[in-house]
Amino acid sequence: MAEIVGAYFTSHVPAIGGAIHKGLQQEPYWKPFFDGYQKVHEWLAQVKPDVAIVFNNDHGLNFFLDKMPTFAVGAAAEYHNADEGWGLPLYKPFAGHTELSWHIINSLVEDEFDITTCQKMLVDHALSIPFELAWPDVAAWPVKIVPFAINTVQHPLPSAKRCLALGQAVNKALQSWTGGERIVIIGTGGLSHQLDGERAGYINPEYDTFCMDNLSGNPAALTHDSIHEMVRKAGTQGVEVLNWIAARGALGVEAATEIHRNYHIPISNTAAATMLMEPA
């Protein structure tokens, strides 16, 4: 049976990719953020995953406001990064684990999740930047991926409770997978930030700390707020924490062990955070 080795959570703001591209990791503005990844590198080298289940959100490469699935799952053999107009370099393609994708998809449909299956899917900074942070300077990505895109853009958004349930259903699917892969769960996005409107630049360290403090041992605490209340607390783009909640559900244990966190503000106009967890 496959083994879930743990979970990795991180921000994915495009400015991080720009800093990597320009070699700014040791600049005073960026250093506190990038220093938080040394533990991530050490942990990944130790647990050696070969598959990543990635919960992120699409920023217009695959879906737009006229067609926005609530939950989309990739079932492709390969995923290419595409230009989003941020001036970032194009990153290496990602190999897909198609057999595991279809196993998860079938299991989710049996569990009455109405998902969109994507046999072609582009990936944007929400997936590529977290991989650049986790595995810098590798010639090829060391894991195959099963990507999930959660709607955090066009209302109505899925509730935090539904996203946690999605992750738990993914965990159920992984428990019935007969392969011997070592699987890491990845949640990307956030934390609190708002890019537009009267609250542009809004950051809420108190809510971010609440999320990080409860994610490992009491993830259900993050599901009590309505989406509109989450927007009020985290900002319009801060609802990307839904990706973290789904990823935590996919880890599958009631109480996980937090082994690392880093929190730094601001990165661009975002509260940037990194966490690592293992099953307790």
Side-chain angles (χ1 to χ4, degrees), residues 57-86:
N57 53 292
D58 181 77
H59 295 84
L61 285 183
N62 299 285
F63 318 113
F64 200 60
L65 303 183
D66 57 341
K67 290 182 286 290
M68 183 64 68
T70 301
F71 300 130
V73 188
E78 191 171 51
Y79 302 89
H80 288 271
N81 181 224
D83 183 14
E84 304 169 65
W86 294 106

Side-chain angles (χ1 to χ4, degrees), residues 18-194:
I20 295 171
H21 181 55
K22 297 172 184 176
L24 302 179
Q25 293 92 329
Q26 295 305 306
E27 293 290 321
Y29 181 83
W30 287 102
K31 182 175 171 54
F33 172 74
F34 282 100
D35 282 353
Y37 284 87
Q38 182 59 40
K39 179 64 176 179
V40 176
H41 303 157
E42 295 170 358
W43 181 76
L44 288 169
Q46 177 185 357
V47 299
K48 295 181 172 61
D50 43 32
V51 175
I53 311 295
V54 189
F55 295 88
N56 69 136
N57 53 292
D58 181 77
H59 295 84
L61 285 183
N62 299 285
F63 318 113
F64 200 60
L65 303 183
D66 57 341
K67 290 182 286 290
M68 183 64 68
T70 301
F71 300 130
V73 188
E78 191 171 51
Y79 302 89
H80 288 271
N81 181 224
D83 183 14
E84 304 169 65
W86 294 106
L88 301 177
L90 296 183
Y91 297 105
K92 301 177 285 292
F94 298 80
H97 195 318
T98 53
E99 296 86 355
L100 181 55
S101 287
W102 282 110
H103 173 78
I104 293 172
I105 289 164
N106 283 313
S107 183
L108 289 175
V109 172
E110 288 177 2
D111 285 340
E112 300 183 348
F113 280 88
D114 300 319
I115 57 174
T116 298
T117 300
C118 302
Q119 297 186 62
K120 292 183 179 180
M121 178 186 273
L122 297 170
V123 296
D124 64 22
H125 68 273
L127 193 148
S128 57
I129 286 176
F131 272 66
E132 285 287 324
L133 290 166
W135 290 282
D137 304 320
V138 295
W141 304 118
V143 296
K144 293 183 177 181
I145 68 170
V146 177
F148 280 73
I150 295 176
N151 173 26
T152 65
V153 176
Q154 173 76 346
H155 288 258
L157 307 183
S159 69
K161 182 179 180 181
R162 188 61 171 167
C163 290
L164 183 62
L166 172 71
Q168 292 167 337
V170 170
N171 179 267
K172 176 184 174 183
L174 295 176
Q175 297 301 329
S176 65
W177 175 249
T178 57
E181 293 88 346
R182 294 174 62 79
I183 298 173
V184 63
I185 310 296
I186 300 177
T188 88
L191 289 176
S192 63
H193 63 297
Q194 180 155 328

